[in-house]
Amino acid sequence: MKCKRCKAKAVVSLPSHNTAFCKDCYPLFFTRQVETAIRRQKMFTHEERILVALSGGKDSLALMLELSLQGYDVTGLHIDLGIPRSSEKARAKVEAFCELHGLKLQVLEVANEGLPIPAIKKHINRPVCSVCGKIKRHYFNRIAREGGYDALATGHNLDDEAARLFANTLRWDAGYLSDQGPTLPAEEGFVRKVKPLYRLSEFETANYAFLKGIEIHSDPCPYSGGASFTNHKHLLGELEYKSPGSKFSFYEGFLKKGRPAFAMLNKEEGDKVSPCGECGSPTSLDLCGVCRIRTALKEKMAEAE
């Protein structure tokens, strides 16, 4: 197979686009997809400051590098979860990546915030992945808001977005369906959230990271075994294999036809939001979810002593 652009030997085949690219032309395809996402979804401008959440995986590091190459004012944010045999490796990859490319980086350790993930797994009777995700989203928003950033960018790709949409649809969760999309505007204590990789699959992002020589943290989280999100990705992967382009059609169709309806419903029936009485983050209750988790953890650990 030949490269669509220069006719050299192709190294990446993209059935969903009915095309293929060589190693030199593929990064340009990736760049064009990110540019299109930013422009069509009005994510941010070159005059704005962008905080990029960095986990150490291929998606977030590829996003950080691509935005910096496109000339955006980006700063990385890494949340050190303190998970043994995992977090230290992820943090080392992020720090080495930012140092290599001369990129700004901020690191937050959740243990210093009274929220060590291993202790939460041991003492809090809730799925640790759910709690961990809540804590990360809380600090992504809080640090972006307090740092005066114009937008928070995450490395969620098409596979992530399609799997999340699939899960939300299975539950018909109107609240989550109302605010799923590549751009969520700033409102009520939330900074603008954007996902510039939403047009690119996990495979496509992995190829970009490989061809750009990005050193990534690829070890699975030791706490994530059996997560339903992974099963949803496998199901959609089988569908994509048999019918290339299905994931993008599913997600794009929702953005055009489904999301507006759910957003209108949520505007009429959704919970009112106000600042958390302890940390000031937006919440529909007196205390936000993270402050409640911190309090519950403190009580459980005191009981165990």
Side-chain angles (χ1 to χ4, degrees), residues 127-149:
V128 68
C129 291
S130 171
V131 177
C132 183
K134 180 184 286 291
I135 291 171
K136 287 191 289 187
R137 290 191 296 275
H138 172 90
Y139 282 105
F140 288 161
N141 185 72
R142 186 169 167 182
I143 291 172
R145 182 165 51 87
E146 293 176 353
Y149 289 93

Side-chain angles (χ1 to χ4, degrees), residues 13-35:
S13 175
L14 302 176
S16 62
H17 295 271
N18 193 29
T19 190
F21 294 99
C22 68
K23 62 181 177 59
D24 294 324
C25 293
Y26 180 77
L28 183 60
F29 160 80
F30 190 92
T31 296
R32 294 287 182 260
Q33 292 296 317
V34 174
E35 288 175 339

Side-chain angles (χ1 to χ4, degrees), residues 151-265:
L152 167 69
T154 60
H156 291 94
N157 57 46
L158 176 61
D159 294 61
D160 298 324
E161 287 298 279
R164 185 183 172 210
L165 175 59
F166 184 64
N168 290 336
T169 304
L170 284 177
R171 298 193 307 272
W172 288 114
D173 193 322
Y176 282 119
L177 287 167
S178 71
D179 69 356
Q180 177 166 4
T183 298
L184 299 180
E187 59 180 3
E188 298 181 309
F190 292 102
V191 298
R192 187 190 325 152
K193 296 174 186 170
V194 296
K195 301 169 183 173
L197 302 185
Y198 85 95
R199 298 175 58 84
L200 291 150
S201 71
E202 197 165 310
F203 172 77
E204 291 163 351
T205 306
N207 273 291
Y208 177 84
F210 176 75
L211 292 172
K212 286 289 187 180
I214 299 175
E215 294 282 339
I216 64 170
H217 174 65
S218 57
D219 296 351
C221 175
Y223 294 169
S224 66
S228 59
F229 197 65
T230 303
N231 296 329
H232 295 152
K233 280 189 173 182
H234 285 316
L235 281 172
L236 291 170
E238 290 181 14
L239 177 63
E240 181 73 17
Y241 177 75
K242 294 177 180 175
S243 181
S246 295
K247 277 186 284 192
F248 190 74
S249 295
F250 176 49
Y251 189 64
E252 276 282 282
F254 166 75
L255 293 180
K256 291 177 181 176
K257 301 174 183 176
R259 185 185 174 193
F262 284 105
M264 186 176 295
L265 180 66

